[in-house]
Amino acid sequence: MSQDERFRDKAITRQAVDYTYRLLDEDDLTQGGTAVAIKIGSHYFLATAAHTLASRHHLSVHLKRKSLTYSKFIKREFYPDNAPDVGFLEVPQEDVSRFPHCFLDVKQILPAFDRNLVLPVRVVGFPGEYLQIVEEEQIGPNGVIQTRAIHAFHQVTQTIPQSKWPTNKRNDESDVYVEFRKDVAVSLDSPGLDMPLRETADTAPQLQGMSGGGIWLEAEVANKEIWRADARLLALQSSYHKSEGWIKGTSMAKLLDLIKECYPDLEQAVADIMKGDSGA
């Protein structure tokens, strides 16, 4: 990989990581997941996998600033029985400024693409084993304040054409399959933690905690002389099979369908995204 290619790879990945947050299950610390921050109309969402929301446990999101978390969501919606496996939390407008990065613009959502093609993509999320407690402070006889550090995992990979998908429990309308390379891993320290950027090329982590993270495609560059990072969100991760070497996601079209059902005022905005008239 040339120096220019490495720069582009890091810039695209950093952009995807900026929109990505770790969901913490405060009732069961072995659970939780990943979410992508998205803005549609005047609404702000944390999009994730339905199964991360279905337990009705108390959830918070790590704000990437030491141990600051946020949990005052005003809406929590997901498909029953995790079919399709997508859902969202809504953040009130007055609290959006607490998030350290902007929310994904609709022009960066790609609800439709040719599933017969092999496309270069990257997966991004926060595996549970990359969540670390770096400091504990005793507060009174029974209280403890924990400082948590989170590390994002990403892997550059490619989509699997539909003709090669696993035959068991697949949904040709909503699923997206990508290759998972268990012998390749890159972790990035999340911004705002006062830690230097760290990259490691080790065996990939266990992927519990990645559910709800994005599957991203780098947009085509129209002007070859001027390049800018432009990641497009294809799908949200829902499951994986490490030994068979794949990660499954649910297309963004299914999330948009759910949002349209819940918010009549967003029906036109969703329709514009679906037909590519959102300003892309």
Side-chain angles (χ1 to χ4, degrees):
M1 183 183 291
S2 69
Q3 184 175 351
D4 285 348
E5 289 172 330
R6 284 194 295 271
F7 171 79
R8 289 177 56 170
D9 175 72
K10 186 174 291 187
I12 287 288
T13 300
R14 175 58 73 196
Q15 184 182 74
V17 170
D18 282 350
Y19 295 121
T20 306
Y21 289 85
R22 181 68 162 97
L23 284 180
L24 303 170
D25 187 325
E26 301 293 357
D27 297 317
D28 184 351
L29 295 180
T30 66
Q31 301 301 310
T34 300
V36 180
I38 296 171
K39 178 180 183 291
I40 301 179
S42 60
H43 298 269
Y44 296 83
F45 304 106
L46 293 175
T48 187
H51 70 263
T52 66
L53 305 175
S55 68
R56 295 294 182 180
H57 286 179
H58 176 65
L59 296 176
S60 64
V61 59
H62 194 291
L63 293 178
K64 306 180 185 178
R65 298 188 183 111
K66 299 298 183 183
S67 280
L68 293 181
T69 59
Y70 179 84
S71 60
K72 293 196 302 181
F73 306 112
I74 59 176
K75 202 173 187 68
R76 177 177 183 155
E77 296 288 344
F78 54 92
Y79 284 106
D81 301 320
N82 306 333
D85 196 355
V86 289
F88 64 82
L89 299 161
E90 185 178 7
V91 178
Q93 291 187 35
E94 61 268 23
D95 289 343
V96 168
S97 61
R98 297 184 60 182
F99 288 73
H101 300 286
C102 60
F103 283 57
L104 187 74
D105 190 87
V106 293
K107 69 176 181 291
Q108 290 177 267
I109 297 174
L110 193 60
F113 63 98
D114 191 341
R115 287 174 168 78
N116 297 308
L117 298 179
V118 176
L119 301 173
V121 294
R122 68 200 64 220
V123 293
V124 175
F126 293 105
E129 67 182 77
Y130 280 17
L131 178 66
Q132 300 173 322
I133 297 173
V134 296
E135 183 181 346
E136 288 190 342
E137 180 182 353
Q138 191 73 32
I139 304 295
N142 300 313
V144 174
I145 294 179
Q146 295 179 339
T147 300
R148 298 163 175 167
I150 56 172
H151 302 282
F153 166 76
H154 88 274
Q155 186 175 99
V156 179
T157 179
Q158 61 188 25
T159 58
I160 300 172
Q162 198 168 56
S163 61
K164 296 182 179 180
W165 287 6
T167 57
N168 186 34
K169 295 183 178 180
R170 61 184 264 182
N171 185 314
D172 290 350
E173 181 185 354
S174 62
D175 288 348
V176 178
Y177 282 83
V178 302
E179 292 181 1
F180 173 57
R181 300 161 184 173
K182 59 185 177 182
D183 58 340
V184 178
V186 179
S187 67
L188 273 74
D189 288 316
S190 295
L193 292 175
D194 300 323
M195 289 188 265
L197 185 67
R198 175 176 63 89
E199 295 188 359
T200 58
D202 304 311
T203 302
Q206 295 295 319
L207 296 186
Q208 286 89 345
M210 291 280 287
S211 292
I215 299 174
W216 302 83
L217 173 72
E218 180 181 344
E220 292 290 331
V221 180
N223 185 339
K224 300 298 183 181
E225 295 181 0
I226 302 175
W227 182 88
R228 64 183 178 88
D230 193 2
R232 301 294 174 96
L233 185 59
L234 291 184
L236 298 173
Q237 298 164 61
S238 57
S239 63
Y240 75 101
H241 200 299
K242 198 168 185 177
S243 62
E244 293 186 7
W246 53 257
I247 294 173
K248 183 170 74 171
T250 303
S251 75
M252 293 303 296
K254 293 303 177 183
L255 176 75
L256 294 171
D257 286 344
L258 179 62
I259 289 174
K260 183 172 64 174
E261 290 176 16
C262 298
Y263 299 88
D265 61 306
L266 293 181
E267 184 173 349
Q268 186 58 54
V270 169
D272 290 343
I273 299 170
M274 295 294 286
K275 64 183 181 182
D277 292 342
S278 57

